[in-house]
Amino acid sequence: MANPCARGRMLATALTLALATTAHLSAGSGFLQGWTLAPGADSHSVALGDIDGDGDGDAYVTEFYGPDTLWLNDGSGQFSRSSQVLDSGYGSCALLAPLDNNGSLDLFLARHLSDNRVWLNNGAGTLTDSGQSIGATFSRRGAALGDLDGDLDLDAYVPSDSSDDVNEVFLNNGAGVFTNSGQALGSYASRAVALGDVDGDLDLDAMIGNNGANKLWKNNGAGVFTDSGQTVGTRGTFGVALGDLDGDTDLDVYFANGSTSGDSDQVWLNNGAGVFSNSGLVFDGDYSFSVVLFKCDADNDLDVFVGNNTGQPNRLYLNNGSAVFTDSGQALGVGGAISVAARDLDGDTDLDLFVANIHEPEQIFLNDGLCQFTASGQLLGSNAAEAVALGDVDADGDLDALIGGYGGITRVLRNDGLAAFTDDDQWLAAGLGQTTSGVRLADFDGDHDLDAWIGLALNALVGNDDPADRIWLNDGSGHFTDSGQLLGSDYTLGGALGDVDGDLDVDIVVANYPSSFSPGTNRLYLNDGSGVFTQSAQSLGTGTYGAVALGRLDGDADLDLFFARRGGASAVWLNNGSGTFADTGQSLGNANTYVVALGDLNGDGDLDAFLGNDGGNTVWFNNGSGTFADSLQVLGVETTVAVHLFDADADGDIDAWATNGDGLSQATQVWLNDGTGHFTDSGWALASTTATASAIGNLDNDTDLDVLVVSFDGDHQVWLNQYSGPIFLDGFNLGNTNAWSAVVP
């Protein structure tokens, strides 16, 4: 059937169960909390099976950077997320199968650079970690289950995607307890495995897809494997599937190949004795990630669905019965389909498709029974988000959202006017080696629509020597084009927009953080009025800065700077009116400050500062000339990653919304002002999240201000303000996407 994560059975093809990456919008309930951009913290695999014993196909999705997700099917192909706390450790391949012989589907997890795990099912869909640590291979791509030693239980074949490590076999004792067989089965940078009886001796052999020469390993029936000596293709293979493609009853192989040189997929035909020859069939030269074989149309042969790389269409190839395949021409998603599984998801007896994507929502395609597929409309999960900004990008009168993603991807979510958001599938990409640390919206080019500044930082897991910030220009309808400008090469953590030089266009001030390639010098970029930016020669301080705010701090008409510093004193820089700044020399506190918001907190007509800190927020009063004094308040003990100042209780003064988290589960707080700049906790029950950024605006067109919160490994949330007294009702979940920026508009 399919590839990387596979189950094998005697006298049958290996039953594969998929591999994945990422997620999107799914309806939820209706500060009021209400939609779910559900988990998708960089998904790496999906497995389908009846986990809860109700007869339909559920989905287990591994998340590389956060807790895994179990999606339960209602029987019609509609999924809801289970509340179970599941594995949270670099899961690369999930396999569902009966491992302990109690009749329910258990879970085998191959994990990247970490011990593999077994989770046992109680029969009702509750999964419990068995506590086993099964090897620690470089298992990035795949694994397979099958009865390898003939004792009627399911064993595990785990390949390693590293030439410095070996492929391994783990034998099951029948109770779901696995032991390393001690075999070292090659070290080829293996990415995929499929199990099946290719030579007719009634045991399961292993076809391995490598970054180079693919290999067939033959089983002696006792789970001992020997290299057949065959080289079955030499392309960069990501997916392998075994099945009878030419109708002669033996198992042939389909290789999904991914290469920048445009190597096409290949079909190799079996002579019945496990000797393979290239069919010579030429497929589209896509960069293929995944493959599943299944009976799609009514002719009873195996057809092929291939999931391809970002920007390339996935393909459904129809078989004529003799291994000659024709592209069906159906549009079945574009981009990053690292895993796919086929199963009846809607109860109509035909096979549907569950596609898991890289930096793209997981999608479900429903089969009409005649091999014609329709997208179900469900978008399960989102891209790994890091930052968020709100603005009307499509000129329809409501506030849309740009969510900056882990890996340098920013997505555009369109608002329907009632705070229900839809991803329009735009990718504002800046390279997968980078991390989006900030998003800002403003009219940079003078055409009266909102363009986007995207701040970038180093992706610590990948590394990149040039995390240059980007400018994306809007065509007026919410469609963005990269201007091609590369602003700096710094580790950006914060940015602020405003006209600092008095020429009536929007300039950019950036707060930077020291790194191995940058000293952490804050920068000013001046706009020429057409959206073209030039770096000012000024150095606006060097150090561990995390945020910056613009405002009239000294009583004149120009915009001054307040820099928030992490692990040191914050600073104030005053503008001479032409965009030249001077450091006032003030050392404001010594907190680990993540964010700063400016507003008249004590009612004296000038801008004060609310500092969001790690371990207690602080308030600094301005004397009107840009000189600040500590109010001596310490507000809370949480880690605040975003602050919004507005009148939350309708009493005429400015209150403070503090979004807390930074990867820790902490409750958001609203601090109420007494009118003199002294704050008390509202006590309003706002749910705990692992929030990392938020943005404020009127999301539902009801005249008050709402808040959108993004999180690193929890749900993104929309909090709708229902003020008729001091209350915010929790309502719209926009789901998990690995957000971690602390940048505030």
Side-chain angles (χ1 to χ4, degrees), residues 566-609:
R566 296 197 180 183
S570 296
V572 173
W573 289 65
L574 298 180
N575 190 350
N576 71 352
S578 62
T580 299
F581 293 85
D583 188 354
T584 65
Q586 299 174 73
S587 294
L588 306 181
N590 195 35
N592 190 17
T593 302
Y594 278 49
V595 292
V596 56
L598 301 175
D600 183 6
L601 303 179
N602 57 4
D604 64 356
D606 52 47
L607 294 179
D608 310 300

Side-chain angles (χ1 to χ4, degrees), residues 235 254 257-265 282-288 306 308-309 312-313 315 317 327:
R235 311 289 177 86
Y254 188 107
N257 296 319
S259 170
T260 56
S261 62
D263 290 340
S264 75
D265 298 348
V282 178
F283 293 86
D284 294 280
D286 301 308
Y287 195 124
S288 300
V306 180
N308 291 320
N309 195 11
Q312 297 178 335
R315 310 268 187 190
Y317 294 106
D327 192 340

